[in-house]
Amino acid sequence: MAIFINNETKVLVQGITGKEGRFHTGQCKTYGTNIVGGVTPGKGGQEVDGIPVFNSVAEACKKTGADATMIVVPPPFAAEAILEAVDAEIDIIVCITEGIPVQDMLRVKNGMAGRKSRLIGPNCPGIITPGACKIGIMPGPIHTPGGPVGVVSRSGTLTYEVVHQLTAQGLGQTTCLGIGGDPINGTNFIDCLAAFQEDPETKAVVMVGEIGGSAEEEAAAWISANMDKPVVGFIAGLTAPPGRTMGHAGAIVSNGQGTAEAKLAAFRENGIVVCESLGDLGKICKSTFG
Amino acid sequence: MKIHEYQAKSLFRKAGIAVPEGTTCTAKEDIAALIANMKMPVVVKAQILAGGRGKGGGVILGKTKAEVQTAAEKILGMQLVTRQTGEAGTKVKTILLEQGVAIARELYLSLLVDRDRCGIVIIASQDGGMDIETVAAETPDRIIKVHINPLLGLQGYQIRELIFGLELSTPVAGEFAALVKKLYALFTEYDGSLVEINPLVITRDDKVMALDAKMDVDSNSLFRHPDIKAMHDSSEEDELEVAAAAHGLNYIRLDGSIGSMVNGAGLAMATMDLIKQAGVEPANFLDVGGGASAEMVENGFRILLSDSNVRGIFINIFGGILRCDVLAEGVVAAARKVQLTLPVVVRMEGTNVEEGRRILAESDLTFNNATDLNHAAELLAAI
């Protein structure tokens, strides 16, 4: 089971001929991901490490039957790359690219309404169903297949840290995904939590948030109303100074909104088990749902 | 990225949005010549990026040329302290000399990206000239909000909602509608994250004019706005932050004593929190990037060591695609190169971690190797 992707997922890579694209395609393939093709306009007909390259997403889908794509193109072209994948009716679009202008994402997000595609990211590490399919830049070997824990996060390396601690405690993962550090993203916490709630293999969830926006507060209220699986929550940025963007474009406390304190309070009010210190996360998960 | 009032007003002028006539001045000896042909009164405005300039004494109205001269000489070069500058204040290098305007009404108008609704929001109020957060907190019914779908753009009924809400008279309404349209176009064309006019004034002869102008442009969009990029003024930023940015490092200076170097923004924030929880204070946020190359580590060391408050350094790296042994070699080489003498706690985890720890342990430098995050916290507390 797991969520969104599994061992039958056929994956394209948009931007496969770039240095990053080629490297991470290789890493995904080594992990066992079924990479069926790449897309770089003007380079159709070529091959990258044995993988066929197409001129457009539509053509690639027609010839390979791809139902997912990983976007690794530079920020000026990323919004259009997403829209091209949406028009080709790809089910799962994973956008790794960091630095897409926010107004581009406003248009993409509104333009995706009513379409069948799900966008994960942008500015995210991607998604992995351990042992089955990795679409992203996360290190594969730290993951443990088979569940029972689902992981959803706004961060990259912080997610790896969480997964590593789970693995160290003998807790495997169903699916782990980063929803991205940008102010506007495709899939949000609630989308992932709802999918984890539906997934019989997932017995518990770790949710990793950070300062900025109100996605964690909304997710907390949703959990309390809709979820019966235990959730452990962590928030990064208690010591972040207000008004400063902390690396991720979306990680900013502005006018007193989006503080770590408010998010932790929302977690507590809604029955989420709060992990205060990152070093304790694995142990807290073990004692909560181990 | 923030731009100065006079820069925002130059964009306004180009877009056909009325602003008072004015000129900038950067040298005291130029003041007399610049005001010689100006009609009185004239407003002298300090051009710094921080807010709260008026209350800090950075905006003065001069009714005569002598008054303007005195005010301009006082403000230009002063160390202006506002609620946003910190105690040291900011040196005023540029002033704006602006024609006074006969004001009938002061309004508030702003546009910003609304991340929660995934759109653009226009905020307006009849209470111009006041702090809008105070208005929103004390009299929320005096705030008008219009939510715009970026694909559909600004609609006529939305402009009318503003006009009726602001109780604008018929002669003014048409001009206001034109201004809002131009401002929305400017906001989308230039990838604004915020445009704020406070106050937007109705003059006694029924003109609508932007008396002030504040504009922030999305930093991620600067690749398509070379004209805005050229407006960047880094002189008000922390010098270490400017130096770090030049190396492509994401660095924010804080006032604690434990420097940290981390790969990834989320982990870097969590690491600052961990330092605080260990009973010491973080000196910075430093994200050397998810991949963290040896060169980035070396540049990171140099930035951290340039901060004289730093008494110890915490390196927290999750080696994934980048192997820990490669990283450890980079840390050792960089530490040697910058002649590191401060205590360093290293916590690394991930691929080839054993080999990485061995490289650190066997180097002739003393690293405090932490086996996990909680152990790292103990070592930090002992510094």
Side-chain angles (χ1 to χ4, degrees), chain A residues 23 27 76 99 101-104 106 109-111 137 139 154-155 157-158 160-161 164 184 210 212-214 236-239 241 244-248 250 255 276-280 283, chain B residues 113 115-116 118-120 133 149-151 187-188 191-192 218 220-221 223-224 241 250 252 254 263-267 269-270 272-274 276-277 282 285 318 320-321 347 349 373-374:
Chain A
F23 175 76
Q27 295 279 320
V102 68
Q103 291 204 21
D104 285 6
L106 289 183
K109 176 98 177 175
N110 284 283
I137 59 173
R154 275 170 68 185
S155 170
T157 47
L158 182 53
Y160 314 160
E161 173 71 43
H164 168 79
I184 306 289
E210 61 190 31
S214 56
L238 273 165
T239 51
R244 300 300 305 266
T245 304
M246 306 301 286
H248 289 153
N255 299 326
E276 303 217 356
S277 181
L278 185 59
D280 298 333
K283 278 176 240 155
Chain B
V113 169
R115 65 193 279 182
D116 292 331
C118 201
I120 291 168
E133 272 101 47
N149 179 325
L151 294 182
F187 187 81
T188 50
D191 283 283
D218 179 2
N220 284 339
S221 77
F223 65 83
R224 59 188 173 207
E241 293 184 8
N250 230 320
I252 292 171
L254 303 170
N263 63 335
L267 191 58
M269 272 188 274
M272 285 165 44
D273 298 348
L274 190 89
K276 174 97 175 176
Q277 282 158 354
F285 166 92
F318 199 98
I321 303 291
R347 184 273 178 166
E349 198 52 77
L373 286 175
N374 289 339

Side-chain angles (χ1 to χ4, degrees), chain B residues 69-87:
Chain B
Q69 181 80 33
T70 310
E73 280 176 9
K74 186 180 164 201
I75 294 175
L76 190 58
M78 84 187 281
Q79 213 51 42
L80 180 56
V81 180
T82 79
R83 60 188 154 82
Q84 286 183 6
T85 60
E87 285 169 22

Side-chain angles (χ1 to χ4, degrees), chain A residues 5-51:
Chain A
I5 60 169
N6 56 40
N7 56 9
E8 289 173 6
T9 306
K10 291 182 191 168
V11 184
L12 287 181
V13 179
Q14 289 170 259
I16 193 168
T17 54
K19 186 173 160 243
E20 294 283 305
R22 182 175 179 172
F23 175 76
H24 288 295
T25 301
Q27 295 279 320
C28 290
K29 209 176 163 190
T30 305
Y31 192 74
T33 304
N34 185 14
I35 305 273
V36 295
V39 177
T40 300
K43 296 198 176 170
Q46 298 181 10
E47 280 193 355
V48 171
D49 302 326
I51 300 161

Side-chain angles (χ1 to χ4, degrees), chain A:
Chain A
M1 282 298 289
I3 68 167
F4 302 149
I5 60 169
N6 56 40
N7 56 9
E8 289 173 6
T9 306
K10 291 182 191 168
V11 184
L12 287 181
V13 179
Q14 289 170 259
I16 193 168
T17 54
K19 186 173 160 243
E20 294 283 305
R22 182 175 179 172
F23 175 76
H24 288 295
T25 301
Q27 295 279 320
C28 290
K29 209 176 163 190
T30 305
Y31 192 74
T33 304
N34 185 14
I35 305 273
V36 295
V39 177
T40 300
K43 296 198 176 170
Q46 298 181 10
E47 280 193 355
V48 171
D49 302 326
I51 300 161
V53 180
F54 302 93
N55 279 324
S56 73
V57 179
E59 185 196 354
C61 285
K62 206 168 150 190
K63 299 218 170 117
T64 65
D67 51 12
T69 179
M70 173 164 83
I71 297 177
V72 209
V73 306
F77 316 108
E80 197 193 313
I82 297 170
L83 292 174
E84 188 184 350
V86 171
D87 265 349
E89 306 210 309
I90 293 223
D91 290 329
I92 300 289
I93 302 168
V94 181
C95 185
I96 308 297
T97 308
E98 174 172 11
I100 304 177
V102 68
Q103 291 204 21
D104 285 6
M105 281 312 299
L106 289 183
R107 287 186 282 270
V108 167
K109 176 98 177 175
N110 284 283
M112 284 184 73
R115 307 298 295 265
K116 71 176 280 202
S117 300
R118 164 177 300 288
L119 171 67
I120 296 170
N123 188 12
C124 78
I127 174 168
I128 181 169
T129 291
C133 183
K134 160 176 132 93
I135 309 177
I137 59 173
M138 67 289 276
I142 58 171
H143 299 81
T144 306
V149 184
V151 179
V152 57
S153 167
R154 275 170 68 185
S155 170
T157 47
L158 182 53
T159 316
Y160 314 160
E161 173 71 43
V162 168
V163 169
H164 168 79
Q165 289 192 31
L166 289 172
T167 290
Q169 293 289 335
L171 294 165
Q173 305 92 40
T174 50
T175 299
C176 308
L177 72 165
I179 58 173
D182 277 0
I184 306 289
N185 55 17
T187 296
N188 63 23
F189 278 123
I190 295 175
D191 298 327
C192 301
L193 293 164
F196 281 133
Q197 172 67 20
E198 289 294 310
D199 174 35
E201 253 183 46
T202 303
K203 308 292 182 206
V205 175
V206 178
M207 177 177 157
V208 181
E210 61 190 31
I211 55 163
S214 56
E216 290 82 358
E217 287 89 330
E218 286 155 25
W222 189 91
I223 288 169
S224 152
N226 300 285
M227 228 168 149
D228 57 15
K229 298 177 180 178
V231 180
V232 168
F234 177 81
I235 299 288
L238 273 165
T239 51
R244 300 300 305 266
T245 304
M246 306 301 286
H248 289 153
I252 179 168
V253 172
S254 43
N255 299 326
Q257 301 293 306
T259 64
E261 288 83 358
K263 290 172 191 297
L264 289 172
F267 278 4
R268 288 196 182 91
E269 279 164 27
N270 289 288
I272 295 164
V273 179
V274 169
C275 168
E276 303 217 356
S277 181
L278 185 59
D280 298 333
L281 195 124
K283 278 176 240 155
I284 290 174
C285 289
K286 183 79 179 169
S287 65
T288 308
F289 40 72

Side-chain angles (χ1 to χ4, degrees), chain B residues 41-335:
Chain B
V42 163
V43 186
V44 183
K45 303 180 85 174
Q47 298 297 290
I48 62 168
L49 294 170
R53 292 171 300 165
K55 281 182 191 141
V59 180
I60 299 176
L61 175 77
K63 294 190 189 94
T64 65
K65 287 205 166 86
E67 278 181 23
V68 175
Q69 181 80 33
T70 310
E73 280 176 9
K74 186 180 164 201
I75 294 175
L76 190 58
M78 84 187 281
Q79 213 51 42
L80 180 56
V81 180
T82 79
R83 60 188 154 82
Q84 286 183 6
T85 60
E87 285 169 22
T90 297
K91 190 180 169 79
V92 179
K93 295 181 304 169
T94 304
I95 53 170
L96 179 60
L97 300 162
E98 243 178 26
Q99 191 72 71
V101 174
I103 300 168
R105 284 183 70 191
E106 292 188 81
L107 309 171
Y108 172 92
L109 184 67
S110 68
L111 276 83
L112 60 155
V113 169
D114 182 350
R115 65 193 279 182
D116 292 331
R117 289 190 185 224
C118 201
I120 291 168
V121 60
I122 299 186
I123 300 174
S125 173
Q126 300 202 35
D127 298 326
M130 293 170 60
D131 178 35
I132 197 68
E133 272 101 47
T134 313
V135 178
E138 289 170 8
T139 48
D141 54 318
R142 307 228 354 130
I143 301 271
I144 309 157
K145 279 190 185 178
V146 173
H147 299 276
I148 300 151
N149 179 325
L151 294 182
L152 302 175
L154 182 61
Q155 303 294 312
Y157 72 90
Q158 294 175 316
I159 301 175
R160 288 196 295 277
E161 202 174 318
L162 296 170
I163 288 170
F164 293 126
L166 293 171
E167 298 175 353
L168 298 180
S169 61
T170 315
V172 173
E175 206 176 317
F176 175 84
L179 178 138
V180 174
K181 279 185 204 164
K182 287 171 187 163
L183 198 64
Y184 182 80
L186 180 77
F187 187 81
T188 50
E189 186 194 337
Y190 277 103
D191 283 283
S193 41
L194 168 78
V195 173
E196 185 179 56
I197 306 176
N198 189 20
L200 176 75
V201 299
I202 315 291
T203 63
R204 291 214 188 113
D205 52 353
D206 283 343
K207 295 270 178 282
V208 184
M209 194 180 264
L211 216 58
D212 196 13
K214 186 176 166 187
M215 185 160 171
D216 296 356
V217 175
D218 179 2
S219 303
N220 284 339
S221 77
L222 293 178
F223 65 83
R224 59 188 173 207
H225 304 302
D227 50 341
I228 303 288
K229 202 174 174 183
M231 291 178 180
H232 185 221
D233 175 5
S234 61
S235 66
E236 287 178 42
E237 293 165 23
D238 182 276
E239 55 188 316
L240 284 184
E241 293 184 8
V242 175
H247 287 300
L249 296 169
N250 230 320
Y251 170 85
I252 292 171
R253 192 177 192 169
L254 303 170
D255 46 17
S257 60
I258 301 296
S260 64
M261 177 156 35
V262 188
N263 63 335
L267 191 58
M269 272 188 274
T271 301
M272 285 165 44
D273 298 348
L274 190 89
I275 291 170
K276 174 97 175 176
Q277 282 158 354
V280 276
E281 293 291 328
N284 63 278
F285 166 92
L286 173 56
D287 167 17
V288 292
S293 68
E295 190 196 349
M296 290 296 238
V297 170
E298 184 187 327
N299 290 330
F301 266 133
R302 290 191 195 281
I303 297 291
L304 295 185
L305 294 175
S306 306
D307 178 353
S308 56
N309 289 335
V310 170
R311 289 191 292 110
I313 291 174
F314 179 26
I315 299 177
N316 186 15
I317 304 273
F318 199 98
I321 303 291
L322 175 83
R323 301 191 325 257
C324 288
D325 52 331
V326 176
L327 178 85
E329 276 166 7
V331 168
V332 171

